[in-house]
Amino acid sequence: MKVNVEVDCTPEEARRFLGLPDLTPVHDAYVSSLLDTMKGGIAPETLETMMKGWAPMGEAGLKLWQQMFDQIGGKRG
């Protein structure tokens, strides 16, 4: 036996129904902070910190990104 249930609701209604927190203020603060950083220019330390968070293999992934950027920039290491 197969039963299908369709629920027609907005994402906000689904969030409330499931009891999930409203993260809109957190999201807005994060986006605002990111935009401020981008407008002020990115310092090398900031870029390195971002890449460490994005690198799937930690330090090894960061080194791979650095090598790629070095090759794009014309540096040979």
Side-chain angles (χ1 to χ4, degrees):
M1 177 190 290
K2 187 175 186 179
V3 177
N4 291 325
V5 177
E6 284 189 35
V7 178
D8 186 21
C9 65
T10 66
E12 175 66 18
E13 291 169 335
R15 183 193 61 75
R16 287 183 186 173
F17 176 75
L18 295 172
L20 299 173
D22 183 11
L23 297 177
T24 303
V26 175
H27 178 263
D28 291 343
Y30 176 76
V31 169
S32 176
S33 173
L34 186 59
L35 288 174
D36 290 344
T37 301
M38 297 301 282
K39 288 177 186 175
I42 298 178
E45 300 81 29
T46 305
L47 183 58
E48 183 177 357
T49 302
M50 285 174 30
M51 297 308 281
K52 280 184 181 178
W54 293 345
M57 299 180 300
E59 196 67 30
L62 179 60
K63 288 187 187 299
L64 178 67
W65 278 102
Q66 286 176 335
Q67 289 174 354
M68 184 175 66
F69 284 128
D70 287 346
Q71 289 176 357
I72 291 171
K75 297 180 198 173
R76 302 285 176 188

